[in-house]
Amino acid sequence: MNVATTLRTELLDLIGKNPGGHKQPKIVDEFTSKLRAYAEVPGVDTSDVIFAIGSSVYGVDLIPDGSKQQKTGNGGVEEPVIVDFGYMQQFMKDVFLSYGCTEDQAEISSEVLIEADKRGIDSHGLGRLKPIYCDRIDKGILWANRPIDIIKETETTALVDGNLGLGLCIGPHCMKLAIEKAKKYGVGFVAAQNSTHYGIAGYYATMASDAGCVGLTGTNARPSIAPTFGVEPMLGTNPLCFGIPSDDDFPFVIDCATSVNQRGKIEKYARDGVDTPRGAVIDNEGIERTDTEGILRDMVLGKCALTPVGGAGDAMGGYKGYGWATVVELLSTAFQSGPFGEAVCGVDRETGKPMPMPLGHFFLAINIESLCPIDTFKKNTGTLLEALRASKKSPKGPGRIWTAGELENDARLARTAQGGMKVPKVLQQNMLDLREMRPGMKKKYSKFPFE
């Protein structure tokens, strides 16, 4: 067993054997010491979930390469700095340009990412730039500036090949094509093959709703969800997303995974020192796990899986979430003859070498004017949504009812009012690393707003 493997195993054992360890200074110190040693091992994988757990749960922000260490939870991490949206989008655009993207590719890719940050979906904005896109380009499992080819096309449909380019470019291209077809023929449907991570699904549904269409999109992903009555991760967290125009100030956009939880939520449970709700995670023995720290360890080791919406088994309707996750997987692979499961896990299980993840997506646009006046549709939609928000509130709730898309609109308004987005230390470090690594970035960004 080499040094990296030994340290990684010790870190996982430390997490699993010490529930609430992130609140114990001795355990935090031990974790920090081992994580720092692991980060200094040459060639360690920068996207290893161990670093995300360290930052999210233990408050230890470390970037692989011992010279790039941040303060730990014991030392008190500085407050995030607020950075203007325009500045941040331009930075991300320049990073994509440095990888050889065209002006248009870099513009749309940075727009999809900054839109996530504007909506308060921090997991899919700046936080994805380096680990999901830049690092994968550097590893040779995703490519910038690849052509987008139409394999087959009719008046209302198209099959598109992304050639393992940026999903952030492929997604907008496909939904734009679906909308164009819908505007001409009433309905447009586009399936994509050989794509990669395409960011927030809600971006594409909103493209459709902004164009006066009902939008639908979905994508498969690396296997995380076990089938109902199964224990092996087989399906991605596979979001199914709808966008519907309304006369509200924002469209109705429902964008969520088909699993009960994602790893980020389990990390939050660990930070809060609470058990994971029963039914959200199942292990290889068929046990519905609640031990949060043990779950984090075993998810990394592949010994447990997420459950579909409705939870494990069928008592709370888990078969419904399983069915919807399967629908997304089918529409992302069947038209495309695309891979699924282990074939999109991103790593060669025998060698540990990173591998491409050829994902599939689908995009549907329905032109509302083909069926009724757009203003009538928007008014009808808004009337129903307002009735939902005005309905009787739970005396144990927050005193407000939201409809889909409203929380994201609230976040946009609040973040615009505060002057932009908060950039925590770990993302500041990512920006510093990219400035150091990418040609031309030092000259243009000699000093960041947080420096």
Side-chain angles (χ1 to χ4, degrees):
M1 189 178 291
N2 60 34
V3 174
T5 302
T6 299
L7 287 169
R8 194 171 190 273
T9 300
E10 291 175 355
L11 283 163
L12 290 172
D13 285 343
L14 194 64
I15 294 168
K17 293 177 180 178
N18 294 280
H22 63 293
K23 296 181 179 180
Q24 303 173 35
K26 183 178 179 181
I27 298 299
V28 173
D29 287 344
E30 185 178 355
F31 182 88
T32 303
S33 176
K34 290 182 182 296
L35 188 64
R36 180 175 292 115
Y38 182 53
E40 292 173 348
V41 176
V44 70
D45 185 358
T46 58
S47 63
D48 193 328
V49 68
I50 290 292
F51 296 108
I53 293 173
S55 174
S56 179
V57 179
Y58 285 80
V60 184
D61 292 338
L62 287 176
I63 305 299
D65 179 352
S67 65
K68 301 170 184 173
Q69 297 168 11
Q70 301 298 317
K71 296 181 180 180
T72 72
N74 283 347
V77 178
E78 297 176 19
E79 285 295 313
V81 174
I82 294 175
V83 179
D84 176 75
F85 287 128
Y87 180 96
M88 194 56 65
Q89 181 175 353
Q90 185 62 50
F91 171 78
M92 292 192 285
K93 177 180 177 179
D94 287 333
V95 170
F96 285 121
L97 287 171
S98 77
Y99 277 101
C101 288
T102 66
E103 183 77 16
D104 288 345
Q105 290 170 337
E107 178 69 27
I108 192 63
S109 295
S110 60
E111 182 180 314
V112 176
L113 292 180
I114 201 66
E115 184 62 25
D117 286 313
K118 288 179 179 179
R119 298 185 190 192
I121 310 172
D122 297 332
S123 60
H124 282 62
L126 174 65
R128 295 274 184 171
L129 176 64
K130 186 177 184 298
I132 298 298
Y133 302 105
C134 298
D135 287 357
R136 290 180 182 179
I137 294 173
D138 292 337
K139 292 174 184 176
I141 60 174
L142 184 160
W143 288 266
N145 195 15
R146 280 289 176 92
I148 301 174
D149 299 321
I150 295 180
I151 304 303
K152 188 173 184 179
E153 185 174 21
T154 69
E155 287 84 356
T156 58
T157 64
L159 174 61
V160 169
D161 193 316
N163 294 296
L164 292 176
L166 281 167
L168 299 171
C169 300
I170 298 163
H173 179 94
C174 291
M175 183 52 93
K176 180 173 181 289
L177 182 57
I179 293 169
E180 290 171 352
K181 291 178 179 296
K183 287 298 181 180
K184 191 171 182 179
Y185 298 105
V187 175
F189 181 82
V190 177
Q193 65 185 30
N194 291 321
S195 185
T196 56
H197 194 283
Y198 77 167
I200 55 169
Y203 181 89
Y204 309 106
T206 305
M207 282 180 64
S209 63
D210 286 349
C213 295
V214 171
L216 166 66
T217 184
T219 178
N220 66 339
R222 69 173 69 194
S224 300
I225 298 176
T228 299
F229 301 127
V231 297
E232 181 182 357
M234 291 295 297
L235 300 165
T237 49
N238 298 4
L240 184 61
C241 179
F242 289 84
I244 301 175
S246 168
D247 64 0
D248 287 322
D249 293 333
F250 51 91
F252 178 93
V253 176
I254 177 72
D255 176 7
C256 52
T258 47
S259 56
V260 172
N261 278 331
Q262 293 179 291
R263 194 189 72 230
K265 190 68 176 287
I266 295 170
E267 290 173 4
K268 185 177 186 302
Y269 293 145
R271 290 196 302 274
D272 295 342
V274 299
D275 288 344
T276 297
R278 186 173 299 279
V281 176
I282 192 166
D283 69 15
N284 287 352
E285 304 303 316
I287 298 171
E288 296 178 23
R289 297 277 291 277
T290 62
D291 56 317
T292 300
E293 282 81 2
I295 288 170
L296 285 174
R297 175 195 62 200
D298 287 349
M299 285 183 71
V300 177
L301 297 174
K303 293 182 178 180
C304 59
L306 300 176
T307 60
V309 169
D314 60 358
M316 294 296 290
Y319 58 89
K320 298 176 183 178
Y322 166 41
W324 284 120
T326 305
V327 166
V328 176
E329 198 81 37
L330 287 170
L331 293 178
S332 298
T333 59
F335 290 116
Q336 304 89 336
S337 296
F340 64 91
E342 280 293 293
V344 291
C345 73
V347 64
D348 184 319
R349 296 296 189 188
E350 293 185 3
T351 66
K353 182 180 178 182
M355 292 180 63
M357 289 176 278
L359 302 181
H361 321 306
F362 57 91
F363 307 83
L364 174 69
I366 304 170
N367 185 30
I368 292 167
E369 288 281 0
S370 298
L371 297 167
C372 73
I374 183 66
D375 288 342
T376 300
F377 183 94
K378 285 184 174 181
K379 183 176 182 299
N380 292 340
T381 301
T383 298
L384 171 58
L385 297 177
E386 179 55 34
L388 294 173
R389 293 191 288 264
S391 63
K392 188 175 181 179
K393 316 296 188 293
S394 167
K396 297 182 179 180
R400 179 180 175 185
I401 294 172
W402 288 264
T403 53
E406 191 173 5
L407 283 171
E408 290 80 1
N409 186 62
D410 289 350
R412 182 191 300 275
L413 295 175
R415 292 184 175 199
T416 300
Q418 75 179 8
M421 56 183 285
K422 291 183 178 180
V423 183
K425 291 293 286 186
V426 66
L427 298 188
Q428 292 175 27
Q429 185 63 55
N430 283 354
M431 292 176 68
L432 291 167
D433 290 346
L434 289 169
R435 181 178 66 182
E436 186 72 24
M437 294 161 48
R438 303 310 305 158
M441 296 295 287
K442 275 187 179 180
K443 182 176 181 181
K444 186 165 185 177
Y445 296 94
S446 59
K447 185 176 182 180
F448 287 126
F450 50 78
E451 291 185 296

